[in-house]
Amino acid sequence: MKKSQKEYVYKIMKSPVGVLKLVGSEDGLAAILWQNEKPNRVMLNIVGENKKLPILVETEKQLKEYFAKKRTKFDLKLDFNGTDFQKKVWKVLLNIPFGKTVSYADVAKKVGSPNAIRAVGSANGKNPICIVAACHRVIGSTGKLAGYAGGLENKATLLTLEGAKFTS
């Protein structure tokens, strides 16, 4: 996937899962990146810092509420950048209820491609808007934690915060 030519700005936020880089534009929130983010996992043209961009200020406020257990659903304007298939998967992630988990196979069925479990896993791994588009709520069919861009420890932290059931 080629890098977006649109320009994005970022705001840094400290959280219980480490430093997060919130990325967006006037079109909405485009990414929440991890402190130890793999280069090129999310391809955006980030041109600088802007601590006052309204969508980033609102994202930080809602994330703080989430971490304080005062918010179970996000209400943010999102600006997903990806393929049509990835966007379908990410839309499913937005609808997984707080505190619930689903398997990769469940997501594959929901996007109408029940045999595309690996493709769903790949799209899940490229989800640019972690936490808000709840890729941490997708776990292996046995209930075990599987891959997470922020690391399995952070995935477990988020699921525990939500009271979700999983095996480690």
Side-chain angles (χ1 to χ4, degrees):
M1 186 187 329
K2 71 180 194 305
K3 193 170 188 170
S4 166
Q5 294 311 302
K6 186 160 125 188
E7 294 186 346
Y8 296 90
V9 293
Y10 71 91
K11 177 179 188 359
I12 298 296
M13 170 189 174
K14 289 183 179 161
S15 82
V17 289
V19 174
L20 300 173
K21 184 184 229 180
L22 313 178
V23 182
S25 71
E26 295 300 330
D27 293 334
L29 178 67
I32 297 175
L33 304 176
W34 299 97
Q35 191 168 354
N36 300 320
E37 187 70 43
K38 284 186 184 143
N40 302 326
R41 185 182 75 81
V42 175
M43 304 289 280
L44 296 171
N45 184 23
I46 302 170
V47 296
E49 186 173 18
N50 182 339
K51 296 177 182 175
K52 295 184 177 154
L53 184 69
I55 188 62
L56 301 182
V57 171
E58 182 61 22
T59 299
E60 180 175 28
K61 175 183 165 277
Q62 290 190 27
L63 282 168
K64 283 181 176 176
E65 292 167 352
Y66 167 82
F67 288 120
K69 298 185 179 182
K70 293 181 176 157
R71 175 176 290 276
T72 59
K73 197 161 181 49
F74 294 95
D75 182 23
L76 297 164
K77 184 178 177 194
L78 304 179
D79 182 20
F80 278 115
N81 291 275
T83 66
D84 289 343
F85 181 79
Q86 287 171 331
K87 288 178 185 177
K88 264 195 203 171
V89 170
W90 301 337
K91 190 172 183 186
V92 170
L93 301 178
L94 290 168
N95 293 306
I96 303 169
F98 179 90
K100 302 289 181 210
T101 57
V102 300
S103 71
Y104 293 93
D106 294 333
V107 176
K109 284 180 200 139
K110 280 199 165 50
V111 298
S113 302
N115 296 324
I117 297 166
R118 285 186 183 201
V120 163
S122 176
N124 206 52
K126 293 211 180 278
N127 170 26
I129 309 178
C130 296
I131 305 170
V132 172
C135 50
H136 61 278
R137 296 180 189 147
V138 183
I139 61 176
S141 57
T142 62
K144 279 195 147 201
L145 298 186
Y148 190 58
L152 291 182
E153 188 177 312
N154 282 336
K155 187 172 190 166
T157 298
L158 295 170
L159 292 171
T160 300
L161 173 106
E162 295 183 13
K165 297 197 178 354
F166 63 94
T167 55
S168 45

